[in-house]
Amino acid sequence: GLEHQYNCLRPEGKNQTRCMECLPCCIYNVIQYFHSRSTEAMVRCTRNSLDAIRRRFIVSTANQFMKSSREIQEPKPPLFKAEICLAIPQTVMKPSLDDVQGCLNKAVQMLLLACKKVGDWGKPDPEDGRHKIFWKAISEHKDIQKVVIILNTIVNSTIVEINTALASFAQYNYLWKDDKKQELEDFLVIEPTLSEFEAKISFYEKESTAIVAMSADKQVGAILLKSGPLRAALKEECENWVNVFAVCLNQRVKGDMNDLIEFINEMSKKLGRNITDLDDVRTAMGALAKMREAEIKVDMTIGPVEEAYAMLSRHNCVVMREEVENVDTLQYSWSRVLSQSHKVQNHLLTIQPNFRKDLVTNIQVYRETVDGFTEEYDGKGPMEVGITPQERPSESASSRSSSTTCGRSMRRTLR
């Protein structure tokens, strides 16, 4: 060390203390002075750097006890950035506090290691030719050790503020904790109306809007918590809830719409047949009767179906393109079938006299045929008096032929 590099020329007393007057002692004193000043400066610089880091972590805590807005300090730029993520069933910070503490400890050690590149005053070591360094004196200094110990646990000291920041999202935990299937079943028990479905969908849409409008970042001391990933996850959960009720409503009105389309197509097919005989008349009249019975129900069903699809479209719910096209033409198809029914009804009124005339004529012919058959059966049939058993089969065959002719005449009359 310096003691042996600059030996006193006139040591005094038994302890061989320095005389402080010879040239080596003067050189020793100068070097020792600058050594002390350098050590103090490096300790002060290192401590100030460490204190600056420490103050960045405790500024937010200090602000909590300041009542005046003037006293509250503006938050300084953060040292660390972390994300608030959804890890069902809770919200977590990534990286964790332990990871941030480990990173801070590494930074503190790197700051202390910077002193290793500063050489001590005096001559180089005769063994390796290098100057001694300040690192040991600085790293073991009591003021430095005190700050280092504080920094080794300072991140975990913000755990209360971190948990408070995470708890601010607890109001939305029902989005992932509640069972969607059970919630839907409980909702369907009350046989909800269209307005109640829309109220449910609007509720989750408002929640999604509130989540998007939340502050994206939240600073706790020197840690900036970014809520972007969590807000995106919560928004997706809201969309899933909207989809649950939208799909249920869609399935319900889709069934009603398909029933209407099937009924309209069936009526259109029956009313579109050409009327050539009484069978066609019966078919047309049956279709007209069925339409009269179902007209009120159809009118009361078309409106809610159209309103339901309009509501789903208004809330940007996913609906098959084919369904949208069908519901757009539903009212037109029903109106067309109603118009077709009026035409068929008028046509039936037009052809009614001709069919009535034919029916009366055929009935008269049928009566005459039946009377002739009865007379022939009684006079020349199998029950005729005076014929032999051998002649009876031929008489039976003749009666059967007459009966067949009479039956055909009957069927033509009924047609």
Side-chain angles (χ1 to χ4, degrees):
L2 292 177
E3 291 284 346
H4 301 291
Q5 291 179 4
Y6 301 97
N7 293 324
C8 181
L9 298 179
R10 296 188 298 274
E12 299 176 353
K14 295 181 179 180
N15 295 332
Q16 297 292 303
T17 58
R18 288 182 175 275
C19 65
M20 300 300 177
E21 295 179 357
C22 64
L23 182 61
C25 285
C26 292
I27 296 174
Y28 172 80
N29 288 336
V30 172
I31 293 176
Q32 187 65 29
Y33 172 79
F34 283 106
H35 172 78
S36 299
R37 301 257 60 85
S38 297
T39 302
E40 291 175 2
M42 295 192 69
V43 167
R44 185 169 58 253
C45 179
T46 304
R47 185 182 61 195
N48 289 341
S49 298
L50 295 175
D51 275 338
I53 297 176
R54 180 181 61 84
R55 286 193 295 270
R56 295 282 284 275
F57 275 93
I58 64 175
V59 64
S60 64
T61 306
N63 285 341
Q64 296 178 6
F65 300 96
M66 298 179 181
K67 298 180 180 179
S68 174
S69 59
R70 296 181 178 179
E71 295 178 348
I72 298 178
Q73 303 177 23
E74 288 293 330
K76 296 182 179 180
L79 296 178
F80 299 95
K81 289 183 180 180
E83 294 181 341
I84 304 177
C85 301
L86 178 60
I88 296 175
Q90 59 185 354
T91 55
V92 296
M93 185 185 86
K94 291 183 180 180
S96 64
L97 286 178
D98 291 338
D99 295 334
V100 174
Q101 183 66 66
C103 183
L104 177 62
N105 294 343
K106 185 177 180 180
V108 170
Q109 293 303 317
M110 292 180 67
L111 192 151
L112 295 176
L113 289 174
C115 302
K116 279 191 172 183
K117 296 183 179 181
V118 181
D120 197 353
W121 287 85
K123 297 179 181 180
D125 194 314
E127 295 182 0
D128 55 13
R130 297 180 180 178
H131 287 275
K132 292 186 177 180
I133 57 178
F134 286 96
W135 179 73
K136 186 175 181 182
I138 294 173
S139 62
E140 294 179 356
H141 195 278
K142 63 178 183 179
D143 293 340
I144 302 296
Q145 287 291 320
K146 185 188 301 182
V147 181
V148 169
I149 291 174
I150 294 175
L151 290 176
N152 283 340
T153 58
I154 195 167
V155 175
N156 289 326
S157 67
T158 63
I159 189 170
V160 175
E161 290 83 0
I162 294 293
N163 288 338
T164 301
L166 296 178
S168 64
F169 297 94
Q171 57 180 315
Y172 299 109
N173 59 6
Y174 69 91
L175 290 174
W176 65 84
K177 285 187 176 180
D178 291 352
D179 186 5
K180 296 180 178 63
K181 183 178 179 181
Q182 185 61 44
E183 186 75 14
L184 180 61
E185 290 178 356
D186 295 340
F187 178 69
L188 294 178
V189 168
I190 64 173
E191 297 182 357
T193 60
L194 178 61
S195 59
E196 289 172 327
F197 268 103
E198 186 171 15
K200 274 287 185 180
I201 293 175
S202 298
F203 169 76
Y204 290 107
E205 286 183 340
K206 290 179 181 178
E207 290 291 85
S208 178
T209 303
I211 290 169
V212 173
M214 292 177 65
S215 175
D217 301 330
K218 211 173 262 191
Q219 186 168 341
V220 179
I223 303 176
L224 180 65
L225 298 176
K226 301 182 74 65
S227 61
L230 177 61
R231 290 187 298 122
L234 294 179
K235 186 174 182 294
E236 184 179 355
E237 286 294 329
C238 288
E239 292 174 354
N240 291 339
W241 276 101
V242 169
N243 188 57
V244 166
F245 292 96
V247 168
C248 179
L249 177 61
N250 186 21
Q251 292 296 327
R252 174 183 292 187
V253 296
K254 180 181 178 181
D256 293 339
M257 182 181 67
N258 289 339
D259 291 341
L260 287 175
I261 292 174
E262 183 179 355
F263 176 76
I264 291 173
N265 291 338
E266 180 185 356
M267 294 298 101
S268 178
K269 184 178 179 181
K270 289 183 177 181
L271 294 175
R273 292 176 57 179
N274 292 328
I275 301 177
T276 58
D277 53 28
L278 289 177
D279 284 339
D280 296 334
V281 171
R282 279 193 294 269
T283 301
M285 293 184 66
L288 292 173
K290 196 171 183 181
M291 284 189 63
R292 283 193 296 271
E293 294 175 359
E295 185 173 0
I296 296 177
K297 181 180 179 182
V298 171
D299 288 335
M300 294 180 62
T301 305
I302 289 180
V305 169
E306 290 179 333
E307 291 178 8
Y309 276 99
M311 186 270 286
L312 292 174
S313 176
R314 189 166 55 251
H315 292 278
N316 298 319
C317 299
V318 178
V319 180
M320 297 294 292
R321 183 176 180 180
E322 181 182 357
E323 296 179 38
V324 176
E325 294 175 352
N326 288 338
V327 77
D328 288 342
T329 60
L330 193 59
Q331 184 65 53
Y332 170 76
S333 299
W334 174 241
S335 300
R336 188 178 61 181
V337 171
L338 286 177
S339 177
Q340 187 180 10
S341 68
H342 294 154
K343 292 180 181 179
V344 171
Q345 189 172 5
N346 293 333
H347 181 61
L348 288 176
L349 293 175
T350 302
I351 64 176
Q352 180 181 359
N354 295 332
F355 275 92
R356 179 180 178 82
K357 181 179 179 181
D358 292 341
L359 179 61
V360 172
T361 302
N362 290 334
I363 290 176
Q364 183 63 34
V365 172
Y366 175 71
R367 285 179 176 175
E368 293 175 357
T369 303
V370 170
D371 292 341
F373 170 76
T374 304
E375 183 180 353
E376 183 181 359
Y377 185 86
D378 292 339
K380 299 180 180 180
M383 303 304 295
E384 182 181 356
V385 180
I387 63 174
T388 63
Q390 289 78 11
E391 295 174 333
R392 202 170 295 276
S394 62
E395 296 296 335
S396 296
S398 176
S399 298
R400 283 195 299 269
S401 177
S402 298
S403 177
T404 302
T405 302
C406 183
R408 290 174 181 173
S409 175
M410 177 181 176
R411 285 194 293 269
R412 284 196 301 268
T413 301
L414 292 177
R415 287 182 181 180

